Amino acid sequence: MRHKLDISAYLVVGPENTKGRPVVKIIEAAVEAGYTCLQIRSKTASARELIELTREAAELVARAERSGDTALLVDDRLDVILAAREQGIKVDGIHIGQSDIPVNVCRKYLGEDSVIGLSARTFDLFNYIKTADVSQIDYFGAGPLHETQTKLDCGLGPDGKILTRNFDDISRLAKTSPLPIVVGGGVKLADIPQLAKTGAGGFFVVSAISEADDPKAAAAELIEAWKANI
């Protein structure tokens, strides 16, 4: 999966984000709309709950015959990925933050074909992208575009203030980065046309799909807007 990774349409989801609806139903909406990357993320679910969510997602992707086209990642939890794989669940990789488990450790345990995505801290993102060893990383996560209730510390700087990114910043990031970048953080449908023109590799969303009244329709609108403007 690492060498055919497509981050153009990327959903991040966990049980905190679905208004009480099953996570797998939100994932199903995104898969049916053609999303190319799925990330299971939860700061409240137990390891066993995350493994089960990952199993449900992997089985859904397989039933849709998208296993070769849609990457299934887990946020931060190397232990969950290894346990899931031990149970025969197809998990394609991990997404980590700059201060999380080191990239080389993830690569050691997950193998060369696994996807590793990384989000650098917003306040030093430009410097990190220019100086980091990217040989073991497959893409950068960047943002937030707007402040977001989904992840309250997204973009938090050392001064305690939230730093957001405008479209000019993202264009500079896309030109500077040796890796594709996926941009999120409060992204809505109205942002997609301009975001698609920045040179970013894709967009990621949480609540724009997971909290929508009709998740499938919302997912489809986002991906159609992206494709219409790249």
Side-chain angles (χ1 to χ4, degrees):
M1 177 59 71
R2 183 183 185 192
H3 301 293
K4 53 189 298 189
L5 178 66
D6 179 353
I7 58 170
S8 60
Y10 191 136
L11 171 69
V12 180
V13 68
E16 304 97 305
N17 315 125
T18 65
K19 291 186 173 179
R21 295 172 291 190
V23 173
V24 71
K25 288 296 184 184
I26 306 301
I27 292 173
E28 182 178 32
V31 170
E32 290 180 355
Y35 277 59
T36 56
C37 211
L38 307 169
Q39 182 192 134
I40 304 295
R41 183 180 77 184
S42 177
K43 302 304 180 185
T44 62
S46 69
R48 288 176 182 262
E49 289 169 333
L50 286 169
I51 292 166
E52 186 56 31
L53 285 175
T54 304
R55 180 193 304 280
E56 292 175 353
E59 290 175 351
L60 189 151
V61 171
R63 286 196 302 272
E65 300 182 346
R66 297 275 304 172
S67 295
D69 304 306
T70 301
L72 176 60
L73 312 178
V74 175
D75 178 62
D76 194 27
R77 297 294 298 272
L78 181 60
D79 59 332
V80 167
I81 297 169
L82 294 175
R85 287 183 172 182
E86 187 69 19
Q87 296 180 25
I89 301 168
K90 184 180 183 295
V91 190
D92 297 300
I94 193 167
H95 185 89
I96 55 175
Q98 185 180 339
S99 58
D100 293 333
I101 189 167
V103 171
N104 65 315
V105 174
C106 294
R107 182 61 68 202
K108 175 182 176 180
Y109 284 98
L110 297 181
E112 286 303 313
D113 193 45
S114 293
V115 174
I116 299 177
L118 184 141
S119 292
R121 293 185 294 261
T122 303
F123 67 89
D124 61 359
L125 181 57
F126 279 98
N127 182 62
Y128 188 85
I129 280 179
K130 288 188 288 186
T131 61
D133 176 5
V134 301
S135 60
Q136 299 298 318
I137 307 169
D138 299 297
Y139 70 88
F140 283 120
L145 189 63
H146 309 292
E147 291 190 36
T148 172
Q149 294 299 305
T150 303
K151 193 170 186 290
L152 294 174
D153 62 349
C154 186
L156 187 67
D159 60 357
K161 296 180 180 179
I162 300 295
L163 175 64
T164 58
R165 294 295 182 192
N166 60 39
F167 294 111
D168 287 341
D169 285 340
I170 294 164
S171 294
R172 286 174 53 215
L173 282 170
K175 290 176 182 176
T176 302
S177 176
L179 297 174
I181 63 169
V182 60
V183 180
V187 169
K188 305 298 183 190
L189 179 61
D191 299 312
I192 296 294
Q194 197 167 352
L195 183 57
K197 292 176 168 48
T198 62
F203 65 91
F204 72 84
V205 292
V206 186
S207 58
I209 294 175
S210 69
E211 296 185 8
D213 292 336
D214 186 337
K216 184 177 178 180
E221 287 178 334
L222 287 159
I223 201 169
E224 287 166 7
W226 178 267
K227 289 179 177 179
N229 287 279
I230 55 174

